[in-house]
């Protein structure tokens, strides 16, 4: 067997995690996951300090307050105490 040396380029990885292509992949997956719930959600893509971040919000929610979707039950609400998951 030959020896393989892998050297990570931190700047390159940061650029990849914040790239437009990564944002498209994340947005597509968020749309797929929210469609699976059967409810109307909209996705929100943001480039953070270290990576692309995607969240989804209820389309029909009050426009003044938007709560993130609960990962346990798939419903947008403020403080999750769901027992599902």
């Amino acid at each position: 067997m030959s020896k393989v040396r892998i050297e990570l380029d931190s700047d390159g990885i940061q650029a990849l995690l914040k790239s437009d292509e990564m944002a498209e992949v994340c947005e597509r997956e968020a749309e797929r996951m929210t469609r699976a719930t059967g409810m109307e959600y909209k996705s929100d893509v943001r480039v953070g300090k270290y990576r692309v971040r995607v969240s989804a919000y209820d389309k029909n929610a009050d426009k003044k307050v938007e709560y993130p979707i609960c990962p346990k039950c798939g419903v947008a609400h403020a403080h999750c105490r769901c027992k599902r998951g």
Side-chain angles (χ1 to χ4, degrees):
M1 288 188 137
S2 62
K3 292 185 179 183
V4 177
R5 182 173 179 205
I6 298 173
E7 193 171 310
L8 297 177
D9 178 17
S10 183
D11 293 335
I13 292 172
Q14 286 290 319
L16 174 68
L17 291 175
K18 293 193 271 184
S19 69
D20 291 337
E21 292 83 6
M22 189 63 70
E24 289 174 15
V25 170
C26 291
E27 185 174 20
R28 189 171 48 240
E29 282 301 306
E31 288 174 5
R32 184 186 65 80
M33 292 172 68
T34 56
R35 269 197 317 269
T37 65
M39 298 176 74
E40 292 187 33
Y41 293 107
K42 62 180 179 178
S43 59
D44 181 29
V45 180
R46 296 180 185 190
V47 178
K49 184 175 181 181
Y50 299 109
R51 65 186 180 275
V52 172
R53 297 172 46 185
V54 180
S55 56
Y57 296 95
D58 188 353
K59 276 186 176 179
N60 300 322
D62 184 19
K63 299 299 179 188
K64 294 179 183 177
V65 178
E66 291 185 345
Y67 299 114
I69 295 174
C70 170
K72 294 180 182 177
C73 69
V75 177
H77 50 87
H79 302 288
C80 180
R81 297 189 195 281
C82 297
K83 302 296 181 195
R84 298 180 194 175

